[in-house]
Short mmCIF file of all heavy atoms in Angstrom, two decimals:
data_model
loop_
_atom_site.label_atom_id
_atom_site.label_comp_id
_atom_site.label_asym_id
_atom_site.label_seq_id
_atom_site.Cartn_x
_atom_site.Cartn_y
_atom_site.Cartn_z
N SER Y 281 -5.39 -3.14 7.28
CA SER Y 281 -5.21 -4.21 8.26
C SER Y 281 -6.15 -5.34 7.88
O SER Y 281 -7.17 -5.12 7.23
CB SER Y 281 -5.53 -3.72 9.67
OG SER Y 281 -6.90 -3.45 9.79
N LYS Y 283 -7.91 -7.08 9.87
CA LYS Y 283 -9.17 -6.99 10.62
C LYS Y 283 -9.16 -5.76 11.51
O LYS Y 283 -8.13 -5.09 11.65
CB LYS Y 283 -9.40 -8.27 11.40
CG LYS Y 283 -8.31 -8.58 12.39
CD LYS Y 283 -8.79 -9.70 13.28
CE LYS Y 283 -7.66 -10.25 14.08
NZ LYS Y 283 -7.30 -11.60 13.82
N GLY Y 284 -10.33 -5.51 12.16
CA GLY Y 284 -10.45 -4.33 13.01
C GLY Y 284 -9.76 -4.54 14.35
O GLY Y 284 -9.44 -5.66 14.74
N GLY Y 285 -9.50 -3.43 15.04
CA GLY Y 285 -9.01 -3.52 16.41
C GLY Y 285 -7.51 -3.71 16.56
O GLY Y 285 -7.02 -3.89 17.66
N VAL Y 286 -6.76 -3.69 15.47
CA VAL Y 286 -5.32 -3.90 15.57
C VAL Y 286 -4.54 -2.58 15.73
O VAL Y 286 -3.33 -2.59 15.90
CB VAL Y 286 -4.74 -4.69 14.37
CG1 VAL Y 286 -5.37 -6.06 14.26
CG2 VAL Y 286 -4.89 -3.92 13.06
N GLY Y 287 -5.27 -1.46 15.69
CA GLY Y 287 -4.62 -0.16 15.86
C GLY Y 287 -4.37 0.56 14.54
O GLY Y 287 -3.56 1.49 14.47
N LYS Y 288 -5.08 0.16 13.50
CA LYS Y 288 -4.89 0.78 12.18
C LYS Y 288 -5.13 2.28 12.22
O LYS Y 288 -4.32 3.07 11.72
CB LYS Y 288 -5.82 0.09 11.17
CG LYS Y 288 -5.87 0.71 9.80
CD LYS Y 288 -6.81 -0.06 8.88
CE LYS Y 288 -8.18 -0.25 9.44
NZ LYS Y 288 -8.92 0.98 9.73
N SER Y 289 -6.26 2.69 12.85
CA SER Y 289 -6.58 4.13 12.88
C SER Y 289 -5.58 4.89 13.74
O SER Y 289 -5.19 6.01 13.39
CB SER Y 289 -7.99 4.34 13.44
OG SER Y 289 -8.91 3.63 12.67
N THR Y 290 -5.16 4.28 14.84
CA THR Y 290 -4.17 4.91 15.71
C THR Y 290 -2.88 5.15 14.93
O THR Y 290 -2.30 6.24 14.97
CB THR Y 290 -3.89 4.00 16.93
OG1 THR Y 290 -5.13 3.73 17.58
CG2 THR Y 290 -2.92 4.61 17.89
N VAL Y 291 -2.46 4.12 14.20
CA VAL Y 291 -1.22 4.25 13.41
C VAL Y 291 -1.42 5.29 12.31
O VAL Y 291 -0.55 6.15 12.09
CB VAL Y 291 -0.82 2.86 12.83
CG1 VAL Y 291 0.26 3.00 11.78
CG2 VAL Y 291 -0.36 1.94 13.96
N ASP Y 312 -12.99 4.55 6.99
CA ASP Y 312 -13.38 3.32 7.69
C ASP Y 312 -14.85 3.45 8.08
O ASP Y 312 -15.21 3.88 9.18
CB ASP Y 312 -12.49 3.13 8.92
CG ASP Y 312 -12.75 1.79 9.59
OD1 ASP Y 312 -13.74 1.13 9.22
OD2 ASP Y 312 -11.97 1.42 10.47
N SER Y 317 -12.92 6.10 13.59
CA SER Y 317 -12.44 6.50 14.92
C SER Y 317 -11.50 7.69 14.89
O SER Y 317 -11.07 8.17 15.93
CB SER Y 317 -11.79 5.31 15.62
OG SER Y 317 -11.00 4.58 14.73
N ILE Y 321 -9.86 10.00 17.98
CA ILE Y 321 -8.40 9.99 18.20
C ILE Y 321 -7.84 11.41 18.11
O ILE Y 321 -6.95 11.80 18.86
CB ILE Y 321 -7.71 9.06 17.17
CG1 ILE Y 321 -8.12 7.61 17.42
CG2 ILE Y 321 -6.19 9.21 17.21
CD1 ILE Y 321 -7.65 6.62 16.37
N ASN Y 446 1.90 -3.91 15.64
CA ASN Y 446 1.41 -3.07 16.75
C ASN Y 446 1.05 -3.95 17.94
O ASN Y 446 0.81 -5.14 17.79
CB ASN Y 446 0.19 -2.27 16.27
CG ASN Y 446 -0.25 -1.23 17.28
OD1 ASN Y 446 0.57 -0.68 18.04
ND2 ASN Y 446 -1.53 -0.93 17.33
N MET Y 447 1.01 -3.33 19.10
CA MET Y 447 0.69 -4.03 20.35
C MET Y 447 1.68 -5.18 20.56
O MET Y 447 1.32 -6.27 20.98
CB MET Y 447 -0.74 -4.56 20.34
CG MET Y 447 -1.76 -3.48 19.99
SD MET Y 447 -3.44 -4.04 20.22
CE MET Y 447 -4.37 -2.66 19.55
N ILE Y 482 5.46 -1.58 17.55
CA ILE Y 482 4.96 -0.57 18.50
C ILE Y 482 4.42 -1.33 19.71
O ILE Y 482 3.56 -2.20 19.55
CB ILE Y 482 3.84 0.29 17.86
CG1 ILE Y 482 4.34 0.97 16.59
CG2 ILE Y 482 3.33 1.32 18.87
CD1 ILE Y 482 3.25 1.66 15.78
N PRO Y 483 4.91 -1.06 20.91
CA PRO Y 483 4.41 -1.82 22.07
C PRO Y 483 3.01 -1.39 22.46
O PRO Y 483 2.54 -0.31 22.08
CB PRO Y 483 5.41 -1.47 23.17
CG PRO Y 483 6.00 -0.17 22.77
CD PRO Y 483 5.96 -0.09 21.27
N LEU Y 484 2.35 -2.24 23.23
CA LEU Y 484 1.09 -1.87 23.88
C LEU Y 484 1.48 -0.84 24.93
O LEU Y 484 2.29 -1.14 25.81
CB LEU Y 484 0.51 -3.09 24.60
CG LEU Y 484 -0.64 -3.83 23.99
CD1 LEU Y 484 -0.90 -5.09 24.78
CD2 LEU Y 484 -1.91 -3.00 23.90
N ASP Y 485 0.96 0.33 24.83
CA ASP Y 485 1.37 1.39 25.74
C ASP Y 485 0.11 2.05 26.30
O ASP Y 485 -0.69 2.60 25.53
CB ASP Y 485 2.24 2.40 24.96
CG ASP Y 485 2.85 3.44 25.85
OD1 ASP Y 485 2.24 3.75 26.91
OD2 ASP Y 485 3.93 3.96 25.50
N PRO Y 486 -0.10 2.00 27.63
CA PRO Y 486 -1.32 2.58 28.20
C PRO Y 486 -1.49 4.04 27.82
O PRO Y 486 -2.63 4.53 27.74
CB PRO Y 486 -1.11 2.43 29.71
CG PRO Y 486 -0.10 1.34 29.86
CD PRO Y 486 0.76 1.37 28.63
N ILE Y 488 -1.12 5.28 24.95
CA ILE Y 488 -1.81 5.35 23.64
C ILE Y 488 -3.32 5.30 23.86
O ILE Y 488 -4.08 6.04 23.23
CB ILE Y 488 -1.35 4.22 22.69
CG1 ILE Y 488 0.12 4.42 22.33
CG2 ILE Y 488 -2.21 4.15 21.43
CD1 ILE Y 488 0.66 3.47 21.29
N VAL Y 489 -3.74 4.43 24.77
CA VAL Y 489 -5.17 4.31 25.06
C VAL Y 489 -5.67 5.63 25.63
O VAL Y 489 -6.70 6.18 25.19
CB VAL Y 489 -5.45 3.17 26.07
CG1 VAL Y 489 -6.94 3.00 26.30
CG2 VAL Y 489 -4.83 1.87 25.58
N GLY Y 492 -5.75 8.29 22.98
CA GLY Y 492 -6.85 8.03 22.06
C GLY Y 492 -8.19 8.44 22.67
O GLY Y 492 -9.02 9.09 22.03
N ASP Y 493 -8.39 8.08 23.94
CA ASP Y 493 -9.66 8.39 24.60
C ASP Y 493 -9.83 9.88 24.82
O ASP Y 493 -10.93 10.42 24.78
CB ASP Y 493 -9.74 7.67 25.96
CG ASP Y 493 -9.93 6.17 25.77
OD1 ASP Y 493 -10.19 5.77 24.62
OD2 ASP Y 493 -9.81 5.42 26.76
P1 LIG J 799 -8.44 -0.21 14.33
O1 LIG J 799 -8.42 1.05 13.54
O2 LIG J 799 -7.49 -1.25 13.79
O3 LIG J 799 -9.81 -0.77 14.54
P2 LIG J 799 -7.79 1.48 16.61
O4 LIG J 799 -6.67 2.31 16.11
O5 LIG J 799 -9.14 2.11 16.67
O6 LIG J 799 -7.88 0.10 15.80
O7 LIG J 799 -7.36 0.91 18.03
C1 LIG J 799 -8.19 0.08 18.79
C2 LIG J 799 -7.94 0.36 20.28
O8 LIG J 799 -6.62 -0.06 20.62
C3 LIG J 799 -8.03 1.82 20.66
O9 LIG J 799 -8.60 1.92 21.91
C4 LIG J 799 -6.57 2.28 20.71
O10 LIG J 799 -6.35 3.34 21.60
C5 LIG J 799 -5.89 1.02 21.18
N1 LIG J 799 -4.49 0.91 20.72
C6 LIG J 799 -4.04 0.92 19.46
N2 LIG J 799 -2.70 0.73 19.44
C7 LIG J 799 -2.30 0.62 20.70
C8 LIG J 799 -1.03 0.42 21.36
N3 LIG J 799 0.10 0.28 20.68
N4 LIG J 799 -1.03 0.38 22.72
C9 LIG J 799 -2.18 0.49 23.43
N5 LIG J 799 -3.38 0.66 22.88
C10 LIG J 799 -3.45 0.73 21.55
#
Side-chain angles (χ1 to χ4, degrees):
S281 68
K283 59 169 168 245
V286 300
K288 173 179 53 61
S289 303
T290 304
V291 168
D312 187 349
S317 42
I321 294 173
N446 188 31
M447 308 189 186
I482 303 171
L484 257 172
D485 187 331
I488 294 186
V489 183
D493 289 350

